[in-house]
């Protein structure tokens, strides 16, 4: 924290003095009064868009944060950045822009706040790349900042085959597989499609959006329970107002993201992600956020922390409940109190409240109601250690990430069916050309090769919908949606595009995934792999101009967080 704090450290450079009259003139035109020039300026970075239900309400949330910042003595300015929808673009060429959008969001927030001399920042995100994108921008700027999660969607509901079912976005993807094998009629597929997503908010299970929101709260960069509120709720509106107040408190006290985003704080974030059964994307995004914050973090840290942290949340995709069920029983803070009391969280980490994690949780003293079944006791967990497994072997010399809850089993050996893109794999799955005992290999979907590291939610959901979830595995140098479940391994590095051994695989090769010993291997000798390598030719880049070409030329390995900044 600053010894001597200047609450207008940046805005004073832009608006103070006679020579800055042109700047003030421009700001008069957007609503500044004379007295506003003496107030700290607070940026409200909104990801509002009609592109996706995750973000369609964020304009309203931004206005609430503006009210909070102004009420606390600041002068706030709202600006927008982009969002894309994974759920809409999934399975298409457009999905290659998804991970790329994380960098565009970070760059745009850094650009506006840096250019305009803002003293503080509230960033509000909905769809899952918004969150790490906002946090990377916040970390680079290192100005007082609070992140606000747009909130979870409520579950959909429909009567299918005479039974009332709760639905979410993954229900629709899995319905495609059920339709392909004749289990669902055209009318039933349409019913699921029309009822699964009832309104505003991010995808409802412990998918990537809810995972990252929870991680950021555990990191200390959101207000308590910001990650566990419905998008359409009074609690979320209060959270937004309070975030505006909180950032002004940070400005006045000189609290910066670098005071909060420490090594211990990232360990807290990993701990909460594991306990909740969070998405594999958390590995990718937390590595990238730590890199932006100049904090040393590697994929091995997920393994080490995972040895002592149990999986206790019975949440979708592998569990029974959705995020709104967790909201109803008290959200994430009672879980964090449980973890703190068990010595699994660092309580001395600073947070955006100006208090430590321990002080926040002891003040709230949250507990879950008696008899709830969503969060299991720490001594009776769903899994005694982490579901996020970092695998190594001759198919993943630099590591790969698996999500194994134990319900899938802990090892799988099968014969490879190799595809050079997601579309070819999806066609084979839906045409029922994949059989029990196959390991589907989807390559050239890595950060450079895709480019953009598409998520394989379509293939994994189709496999589930076809009833092959316990008899087929899928590995890829791409990644998975938080909604994926089953025996799946992603983030394989080195990726195919740079000559990783996944590029050398052929149909019929025998592949073993071992989530006990944390290995991923193909049953081929080093001599056979080397012989195949002499026949391998580098791929022609798929994009030579535009944002995807730029991304491919700068992005680093998934094992390093797929960052575009230099190490």
């Amino acid at each position: 924290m600053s010894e001597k704090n200047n609450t207008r450290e940046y805005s004073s450079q832009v608006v103070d003095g006679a020579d800055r009259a042109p700047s003030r003139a421009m700001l008069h035109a957007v609503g500044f009064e004379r007295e506003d020039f003496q107030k700290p300026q607070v940026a409200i970075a909104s990801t509002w868009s009609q592109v996706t239900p995750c973000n369609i309400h964020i304009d309203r949330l931004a206005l609430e944060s503006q009210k909070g910042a102004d009420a606390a003595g600041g002068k706030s300015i709202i600006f927008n950045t982009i969002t894309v929808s994974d759920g809409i673009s999934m399975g298409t060429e457009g999905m290659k822009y998804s991970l790329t959008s994380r960098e565009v969001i970070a760059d745009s927030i850094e650009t506006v706040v840096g250019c305009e001399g803002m003293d503080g920042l509230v960033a509000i995100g909905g769809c899952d790349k918004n969150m790490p994108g906002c946090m990377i921008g916040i970390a680079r700027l290192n100005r007082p900042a609070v992140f606000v999660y747009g909130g979870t969607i409520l579950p959909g509901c429909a009567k299918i085959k005479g039974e009332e079912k709760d639905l979410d976005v993954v229900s629709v993807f899995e319905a495609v597989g059920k339709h392909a094998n004749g289990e669902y009629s055209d009318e039933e597929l349409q019913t699921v499609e029309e009822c699964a997503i009832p309104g505003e908010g991010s995808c409802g299970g412990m998918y990537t959006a809810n995972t990252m929101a929870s991680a950021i709260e555990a990191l200390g960069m959101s207000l308590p329970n910001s990650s566990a509120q419905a998008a359409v709720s009074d609690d979320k509106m209060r959270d937004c107002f309070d975030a505006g107040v909180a950032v002004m408190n940070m400005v006045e006290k000189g609290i910066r993201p670098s005071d909060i985003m420490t090594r211990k704080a990232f360990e807290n974030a990993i701990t909460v992600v594991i306990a909740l059964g969070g998405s594999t994307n958390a590995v990718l995004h937390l590595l990238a956020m730590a890199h932006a914050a100049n904090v040393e973090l590697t994929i091995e840290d997920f393994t080490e922390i995972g040895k002592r942290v149990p999986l206790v949340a019975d949440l979708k995709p592998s569990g029974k409940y959705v995020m709104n069920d967790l909201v109803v029983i008290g959200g994430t803070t009672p879980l964090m109190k449980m973890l703190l009391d068990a010595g699994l969280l660092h309580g001395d980490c600073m947070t955006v409240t100006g208090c430590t994690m321990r002080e926040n949780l002891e003040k709230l003293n949250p507990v879950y109601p008696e008899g709830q079944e969503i969060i299991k006791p720490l001594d009776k967990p769903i899994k005694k250690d982490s579901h996020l497994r970092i695998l190594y072997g001759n198919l993943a010399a630099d590591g790969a990430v698996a999500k194994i809850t134990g319900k899938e089993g802990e090892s799988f050996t099968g014969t490879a069916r190799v595809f050079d893109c997601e579309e070819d794999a999806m066609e084979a799955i839906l045409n029922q050309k994949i059989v029990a005992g196959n390991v589907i290999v989807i390559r050239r979907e890595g950060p450079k090769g895709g480019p953009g590291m598409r998520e394989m939610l379509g293939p994994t959901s189709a496999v589930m919908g076809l009833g092959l979830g316990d008899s087929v595995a899928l590995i890829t140098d791409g990644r998975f949606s938080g909604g994926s479940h089953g025996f799946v391994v992603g983030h394989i590095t080195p990726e195919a595009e740079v000559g990783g051994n996944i590029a050398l695989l052929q149909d019929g090769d025998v592949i073993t995934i071992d989530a006990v010993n944390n290995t991923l291997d193909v049953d081929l000798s080093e001599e056979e792999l080397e012989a195949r390598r002499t026949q391998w030719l580098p791929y022609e880049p798929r994009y030579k101009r535009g944002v995807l070409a730029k991304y491919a030329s700068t992005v680093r390995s998934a094992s390093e967080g797929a960052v575009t900044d230099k190490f």
Side-chain angles (χ1 to χ4, degrees):
M1 299 180 200
S2 308
E3 290 183 12
K4 183 180 179 183
N5 185 46
N6 174 8
T7 62
R8 298 182 56 247
E9 180 179 355
Y10 302 99
S11 61
S12 61
Q13 300 173 39
V14 176
V15 300
D16 285 8
D19 63 321
R20 304 309 305 167
S23 304
R24 294 193 296 274
M26 296 284 282
L27 290 168
H28 277 301
V30 298
F32 272 60
E33 301 293 340
R34 198 75 196 170
E35 60 271 18
D36 292 332
F37 295 113
Q38 299 307 309
K39 300 174 182 177
Q41 291 186 25
V42 176
I44 313 292
S46 167
T47 57
W48 173 81
S49 172
Q50 291 182 329
V51 165
T52 170
C54 311
N55 295 65
I56 196 165
H57 62 303
I58 287 177
D59 55 341
R60 301 198 304 273
L61 303 188
L63 290 171
E64 286 301 304
S65 289
Q66 181 175 53
K67 291 175 186 175
D70 291 351
K75 176 58 180 173
S76 58
I77 301 173
I78 298 174
F79 71 90
N80 261 74
T81 183
I82 68 159
T83 189
V84 298
S85 172
D86 295 357
I88 296 170
S89 63
M90 196 76 70
T92 73
E93 194 74 1
M95 185 62 188
K96 294 179 177 180
Y97 291 90
S98 171
L99 187 58
T100 308
S101 77
R102 184 187 77 181
E103 310 309 307
V104 177
I105 292 165
D107 290 349
S108 65
I109 290 174
E110 179 189 357
T111 298
V112 175
V113 175
C115 177
E116 302 302 326
M118 308 294 192
D119 301 299
L121 168 64
V122 176
I124 310 173
C127 202
D128 57 9
K129 290 336 153 293
N130 299 173
M131 282 163 271
C134 288
M135 290 305 304
I136 290 168
I138 284 170
R140 289 178 189 164
L141 288 159
N142 199 30
R143 302 180 190 189
V146 179
F147 177 78
V148 176
Y149 178 41
T152 186
I153 197 171
L154 300 176
C157 183
K159 183 173 284 189
I160 308 292
K161 298 189 182 299
E163 181 183 350
E164 291 285 345
K165 291 181 178 288
D166 282 345
L167 303 170
D168 64 10
V169 65
V170 176
S171 307
V172 191
F173 280 96
E174 293 184 0
V176 173
K178 293 178 179 181
H179 180 263
N181 73 3
E183 183 180 343
Y184 278 4
S185 66
D186 290 349
E187 291 76 16
E188 287 166 330
L189 176 61
Q190 183 176 334
T191 297
V192 174
E193 170 193 327
E194 292 177 351
C195 298
I197 302 172
E200 301 164 357
S202 297
C203 299
M206 188 46 63
Y207 310 145
T208 304
N210 285 317
T211 296
M212 290 312 302
S214 302
I216 293 168
E217 182 183 328
L219 190 66
M221 287 300 298
S222 292
L223 294 174
N225 254 352
S226 179
S227 68
Q229 295 163 340
V232 183
S233 67
D234 291 341
D235 285 343
K236 181 49 63 184
M237 297 298 274
R238 278 192 294 271
D239 181 44
C240 293
F241 184 93
D242 291 346
V245 175
V247 79
M248 280 300 299
N249 181 56
M250 294 174 72
V251 168
E252 288 160 8
K253 292 183 175 179
I255 301 172
R256 296 175 182 269
S258 57
D259 299 313
I260 298 170
M261 297 173 70
T262 63
R263 164 75 190 200
K264 285 184 176 181
F266 276 98
E267 290 180 1
N268 284 349
I270 294 171
T271 296
V272 169
V273 166
I274 292 169
L276 287 170
S279 165
T280 52
N281 280 316
V283 179
L284 198 70
H285 296 325
L286 287 171
L287 289 173
M289 288 158 53
H291 176 65
N294 293 311
V295 171
E296 194 71 35
L297 196 72
T298 73
I299 54 173
E300 276 307 297
D301 291 313
F302 289 83
T303 297
E304 291 306 309
I305 294 169
K307 291 176 182 177
R308 60 180 183 266
V309 178
L311 164 59
V312 294
D314 190 14
L315 294 167
K316 289 185 176 185
S318 54
K320 179 179 179 182
Y321 298 97
V322 295
M323 190 67 178
N324 193 62
D325 296 321
L326 183 61
V327 171
V328 169
I329 65 165
T332 48
T333 50
L335 172 63
M336 286 195 272
K337 183 67 161 58
M338 289 167 55
L339 293 167
L340 178 70
D341 291 345
L344 295 172
L345 282 186
H346 301 291
D348 58 345
C349 292
M350 178 56 64
T351 74
V352 294
T353 65
C355 300
T356 65
M357 179 69 73
R358 177 176 285 108
E359 288 168 340
N360 288 341
L361 292 173
E362 288 180 349
K363 190 184 303 180
L364 293 169
N365 196 28
V367 293
Y368 289 122
E370 198 76 29
Q372 64 83 23
E373 298 183 347
I374 301 169
I375 302 295
K376 309 299 182 185
L378 293 175
D379 60 352
K380 294 180 182 178
I382 294 168
K383 191 173 188 290
K384 65 181 177 60
D385 56 5
S386 179
H387 63 298
L388 296 175
R389 316 302 290 188
I390 307 301
L391 311 182
Y392 293 94
N394 65 3
L395 280 181
D398 295 337
V401 182
K403 182 165 131 181
I404 309 293
T405 64
K407 296 177 182 179
E408 312 85 351
E410 293 187 313
S411 67
F412 190 99
T413 297
T415 55
R417 288 295 311 281
V418 182
F419 304 93
D420 278 340
C421 67
E422 178 187 358
E423 288 86 351
D424 290 350
M426 190 68 170
E427 181 182 3
I429 295 166
L430 293 179
N431 288 326
Q432 302 187 45
K433 295 179 181 178
I434 301 298
V435 299
N438 282 163
V439 177
I440 302 165
V441 179
I442 306 178
R443 63 191 178 196
R444 295 205 68 197
E445 293 288 2
K448 287 185 179 293
M453 210 177 179
R454 287 193 289 184
E455 293 178 342
M456 302 296 130
L457 180 57
T460 58
S461 297
V463 165
M464 286 291 176
L466 287 165
L468 295 171
D470 58 355
S471 59
V472 166
L474 192 154
I475 70 172
T476 180
D477 53 6
R479 60 196 175 95
F480 294 103
S481 162
S484 290
H485 56 125
F487 226 105
V488 297
V489 182
H491 307 208
I492 290 175
T493 55
E495 62 174 290
E497 200 74 6
V498 299
N501 284 350
I502 189 174
L504 309 180
L505 293 178
Q506 298 173 4
D507 282 354
D509 289 341
V510 177
I511 294 171
T512 298
I513 306 162
D514 185 338
V516 176
N517 296 305
N518 295 332
T519 56
L520 175 63
D521 289 294
V522 59
D523 187 15
L524 295 173
S525 67
E526 284 301 314
E527 292 77 15
E528 174 60 21
L529 286 168
E530 192 54 40
R532 291 188 187 184
R533 185 171 301 285
T534 63
Q535 302 299 311
W536 180 76
L537 295 174
Y539 302 108
E540 186 73 16
R542 284 172 164 152
Y543 286 84
K544 297 182 179 179
R545 294 191 178 197
V547 66
L548 292 178
K550 292 177 194 174
Y551 182 80
S553 70
T554 57
V555 71
R556 298 184 68 91
S557 162
S559 64
E560 298 173 314
V563 299
T564 54
D565 283 335
K566 290 183 178 179
F567 272 72

